[in-house]
Structure formats: structure tokens, C-alpha cells
Amino acid sequence: MLYKYTKEFGYNLKLAAPVMLGMLGHTFVGLIDNIMVGQLGTAELAAVSLGNSFMFIAMSLGIGFSTAITPLIAEADGENNFRNGKSACKHGLFLCTILGIALFLGVLVVKPLMYYMKQPIEVVELAIPYLNLVAVSLVPLVIFQALKQFSDGLSMTKYPMYATLIANIVNIIINYLLIFGKLGFPKMGIVGAAIGTLVSRVVMVSFLWWLLRNKEKSKAYVTAIKFFVLESKMLKKIIKLGFPSALQMFFEVGIFTAAIWLSGILGKNPQAANQIALNLAAMTFMVAMGLSVAAMIRVGNQKGLQKFKELRRIAFSIFLLTLFIETVFALFFVAFNDMLPQIYLDEKDIRNLADNTEVISIAAKLLLIAALFQISDGVQVVVLGALRGLQDVKIPTVITFIAYWVVGFPISYYLGLYTVYKSSGIWIGLLAGLSVSAILLSFRFNYLSKDLMLKKGNLQDNL
């Protein structure tokens, strides 16, 4: 009985692994930034956290919107319909380009809000110049996401991974040269980290475009594109799928961003500790994101083939694999919760010894809570991917809003600011929101997939 699910593990991992590595590459950019910036002090680390909190919101909208492209491409690929596939690629790329520019301008408009958010003033003053440069990188990032989602939809998941790995190498080199002023370059601190992020994202999108233009399966899709010859039907279809998907990711990223801001109210050290724990949790979350994309692709393919019984079996095999992997991550966080935060800060720095010790202590406690929500976080994002494969986005959007903002945020706010739990209380709220999301989304997928299977059975009986 179990074998009918576990036999899919190999193919699921083969499809998901490049996506996992690519997503981990995105997070690895943040990891390198945080580790290098952490050597400058806790205020600088908190400033990167605050600046990136604005970026996370913008990125969630861009990345969430772009996920509409993958199920459309996967369905067209399953149907062997090149015309629909190219149309989805072109219109998706056009909309993501416009959205990237809009998000960049939006971040610049709202950045003065930092001064009114009860954040430490030294942190705000450091965060503003950092954010000015990183905001520009939203444009190449969202364009990259459009190309990535297209590539994923064709099951060509390894090429975005290659582009991300190249970008990481570029980012590390530039960070080393500009943050610390090595080999004759000026010492620019966190502004140097921002330049590294911007340049690496330009390299990333350029390299992926070059790869797709030179591969036989994708070349015809990404060449000879008439960008301004647009069809309102396809634009509406992508927006109809993309807008709710963007909101889903916005609601989830929004509550984690709120955790950053609430931590800032508690002080620079709780904020720095929150950034460390969040960065580590994000690394493991990217593995679940890879499985989510695999679920989206395989469910989209089966939907195109109208094989709904297989669709359910394949989807549940991915859910089961997710449970296994996330349980391992949970045990890892429990076992090494005291050691992992020490990667980010210099314990031998006598001048900042008290601050560093406090940050490490708080982060270690947060990682124990992060261990608990590994499973619910992984399950909810993978089930969400399967629902996107079914092109079901409206009800899941309502579910994510309820889970994160009706359940999760009030708990974070109250426990974090009005009880002795403080930073741990903020993360208990995150755990509650993720758990509710995982449960409700699982019910939704089970209902929908079973309904599709029964309808097809009834249709065949009538024929």
C-alpha cells in the first residue's frame, strides 16, 4: 500500500532537487550577507534585517504572481499545445517585468515609514542606504522569476539552479571585496552587501535567458517574442491566477515580516536574533519550496492529461516525502539550536560580547520553536503548490489570510509585546498560523481532487 506512494520519491526528488538548490541559492545570498554583515556588529545585522523586511513583502508579491506561469506551461506541455505555452510565457514575462518595476518604485515610496515604526534609530539610519540599492534588484529578480517559472513548467528545473549558483559566486566575491574593503576596494559595509545583491541578480537573469535561448526544448518559446502584441484573454487568465497567488505569498511573508518589526520594537538584539533564526528556517523552507514546485508541475501535467486518480496518488506521494524530510530538519534544529546561531556572530569580539551573547541566547530559543513548525510549514507550502497545479487559487487565498492574520498575527502581537515570552511569543504565533494553514489547505486539496476524480468517473459511466 505504502509502496504506491514511495515509488514516486525518486522522480519527485529528481524534479524537485534543482528547484531546491536554486531556491537555497536565493536564500544562500541572504545567508552570506548575514554572516559577513554580522562580523560588523549587531546593529548592522539588524539593519539588513529591517531593510530586507521591506524587500520580503515586495518579493512575495513578485514571486507569488509569477507562480501563475508554471501550471499554465505544465498543462500546455501535458496537452502538447505549443501555442498556449508560448502565449503563457510571453504574457507572463511581460506582466512580471511591469510588476518588477512597480514594486521597485513602491519600495522607494514607502521606505520613510521606517522612521515611524518604533525601530532603533541607529538601525534605521543604516538600513536606508542599504534598501535604496537592494530595491533596484527587484526588477531583474522578478523577471528572473518569470523565466524560472516558465522553465519549471517545462520540467527544465535545473537551468534556474545553474543561474542561481553562478549568481551566488558573484555575490560572495563582491561581498568580500566591498563589505570589508579587500584588494584595494573601498570598505562600504552593508552598502557593499547591497551592491553584491544587485549585481548578482542581474547576472542571474542574464545567464538564465542565455541558457533557455540555447536549449532546443525552450528556444522556440523565448525567441521571436512580440512583447507588445498582447491578447486580453491570456493577460486576464494570468492575472486571475497570479493575483491570488501573490496574495497567498504576501499573507505568509507578511506575518514573518511583522515578526521582524515586532522584534525591532523589543530592541536591536531581539531583532538580530530573529534575523538569524529566520534565515536558518528559510534555508530549510526552500527545500519544501522545491517540492511545492514539483507538486505544481506534476499535478498540472496530470490535470492536462485528465488523469485525476493518478493526480491524487502523485500529490500524496509528494506530501508524504515532505513529512519525512521536514521531520529530519526539525530534529536537526533541536539538536544544534545552541550551535547554529554562533555561525553569524564573532564570540571573540570583546567590544560586542554582551550583545552577541544575548543574540545567540534568544536565537537558540527561537530555533526550538522553528523546529516545531518545520512540518506544518513544509506541508502547507507543498499542498499550496498542488492546489496551484489544479489552478485553484481563490479559496486558498482566503485560507492563508485567516491562518496568518486572523489566527497567527494576534497571537504573535499579544505574546510578543504583552507577556514574558517576548521573542518566543512572536514565534509561537508563527507556529499557530502555519499549523492552521497546513490543516485547512490539506482539507481543500483532498476535497477538490476527490471531486474531480468522481466527476470523471460519473462522466465515463454516462458515456
Side-chain angles (χ1 to χ4, degrees):
M1 180 68 178
L2 191 62
Y3 177 69
K4 72 176 184 178
Y5 301 113
T6 58
K7 70 179 182 179
E8 297 291 335
F9 282 9
Y11 184 74
N12 291 337
L13 285 171
K14 182 179 178 181
L15 188 62
V19 183
M20 292 176 186
L21 291 173
M23 297 301 290
L24 282 168
H26 279 307
T27 312
F28 193 68
V29 171
L31 175 67
I32 293 300
D33 283 353
N34 286 326
I35 290 174
M36 290 188 174
V37 169
Q39 308 309 304
L40 302 176
T42 58
E44 285 80 1
L45 184 58
V48 170
S49 174
L50 180 60
N52 282 337
S53 70
F54 283 79
M55 287 293 294
F56 291 154
I57 292 174
M59 287 167 62
S60 70
L61 292 170
I63 294 172
F65 184 88
S66 72
T67 58
I69 300 170
T70 300
L72 294 176
I73 297 294
E75 184 178 15
D77 191 37
E79 296 171 339
N80 200 26
N81 189 328
F82 171 77
R83 186 182 181 280
N84 281 356
K86 180 154 187 175
S87 179
C89 174
K90 178 181 77 171
H91 288 80
L93 193 57
F94 173 81
L95 287 170
C96 283
T97 302
I98 299 300
L99 181 59
I101 295 169
L103 290 172
F104 154 58
L105 295 175
V107 169
L108 293 185
V109 169
V110 302
K111 69 178 181 181
L113 289 175
M114 286 186 187
Y115 290 103
Y116 303 96
M117 293 168 55
K118 299 181 180 178
Q119 304 296 304
I121 191 63
E122 62 176 318
V123 172
V124 174
E125 294 294 343
L126 287 167
I128 290 288
Y130 172 81
L131 185 58
N132 286 338
L133 282 169
V134 175
V136 182
S137 73
L138 279 168
V139 180
L141 177 64
V142 179
I143 295 173
F144 170 82
Q145 279 300 133
L147 292 174
K148 176 194 177 300
Q149 299 295 342
F150 157 74
S151 185
D152 288 345
L154 287 181
S155 299
M156 300 171 63
T157 55
K158 62 183 178 181
Y159 300 114
M161 175 192 71
Y162 295 154
T164 304
L165 292 176
I166 292 293
N168 272 316
I169 294 171
V170 172
N171 183 64
I172 291 170
I173 293 171
I174 295 177
N175 274 0
Y176 177 74
L177 295 175
L178 296 184
I179 291 177
F180 305 113
K182 301 294 185 179
L183 301 179
F185 284 84
K187 183 177 180 180
M188 303 178 71
I190 65 173
V191 173
I195 293 173
T197 300
L198 173 58
V199 174
S200 67
R201 286 175 176 168
V202 172
V203 169
M204 185 167 63
V205 68
S206 302
F207 188 67
L208 180 57
W209 178 263
W210 178 81
L211 283 175
L212 294 175
R213 284 192 61 184
N214 287 280
K215 298 300 173 182
E216 185 176 346
K217 186 174 182 179
S218 56
K219 182 177 181 180
Y221 289 94
V222 299
T223 55
I225 294 178
K226 298 178 181 178
F227 269 110
F228 298 103
V229 180
L230 302 171
E231 302 171 20
S232 61
K233 183 179 179 181
M234 183 55 77
L235 286 173
K236 289 177 181 177
K237 189 172 186 178
I238 294 175
I239 292 171
K240 186 178 179 181
L241 286 173
F243 181 66
S245 296
L247 286 180
Q248 291 164 14
M249 191 165 285
F250 171 75
F251 292 147
E252 181 177 358
V253 171
I255 192 172
F256 280 94
T257 302
I260 293 173
W261 293 344
L262 291 174
S263 298
I265 294 174
L266 297 178
K268 70 171 185 175
N269 288 346
Q271 190 175 54
N274 182 85
Q275 177 66 6
I276 290 172
L278 185 59
N279 192 234
L280 288 166
M283 296 290 285
T284 57
F285 177 72
M286 292 307 144
V287 173
M289 282 289 287
L291 292 167
S292 176
V293 171
M296 199 187 321
I297 295 167
R298 299 202 69 189
V299 167
N301 286 156
Q302 296 304 312
K303 181 176 182 290
L305 293 168
Q306 298 287 295
K307 294 183 177 180
F308 298 119
K309 187 175 181 179
E310 275 293 282
L311 183 154
R312 271 177 64 86
R313 184 184 67 83
I314 289 170
F316 281 114
S317 77
I318 301 175
F319 301 160
L320 185 60
L321 178 59
T322 303
L323 280 173
F324 288 158
I325 292 174
E326 295 302 328
T327 300
V328 172
F329 285 145
L331 294 173
F332 177 76
F333 276 3
V334 170
F336 299 102
N337 72 304
D338 289 316
M339 294 174 59
L340 291 170
Q342 297 174 24
I343 299 171
Y344 292 79
L345 297 169
D346 183 5
E347 286 192 293
K348 297 178 182 178
D349 182 358
I350 302 300
R351 183 170 59 90
N352 295 308
L353 181 61
D355 285 339
N356 290 351
T357 301
E358 182 184 4
V359 169
I360 291 170
S361 175
I362 296 171
K365 293 176 184 176
L366 297 183
L367 286 178
L368 292 177
I369 302 170
L372 293 174
F373 73 50
Q374 289 301 300
I375 295 173
S376 54
D377 199 10
V379 169
Q380 65 86 23
V381 75
V382 173
V383 177
L384 201 53
L387 287 168
R388 286 171 182 158
L390 289 176
Q391 298 179 27
D392 177 53
V393 290
K394 290 183 180 178
I395 299 299
T397 301
V398 176
I399 288 173
T400 53
F401 175 77
I402 292 171
Y404 300 131
W405 291 97
V406 177
V407 177
F409 178 73
I411 294 174
S412 289
Y413 185 83
Y414 176 74
L415 293 182
L417 299 186
Y418 295 100
T419 73
V420 295
Y421 292 107
K422 298 191 181 298
S423 293
S424 295
I426 294 171
W427 277 55
I428 290 171
L430 298 180
L431 171 61
L434 291 166
S435 299
V436 171
S437 179
I439 292 168
L440 295 181
L441 290 172
S442 296
F443 284 149
R444 175 66 178 171
F445 179 82
N446 185 56
Y447 166 78
L448 270 187
S449 58
K450 189 180 290 186
D451 187 55
L452 287 169
M453 192 171 64
L454 292 173
K455 283 179 179 178
K456 185 176 182 183
N458 292 335
L459 180 61
Q460 288 175 338
D461 290 342
N462 291 333
L463 293 175

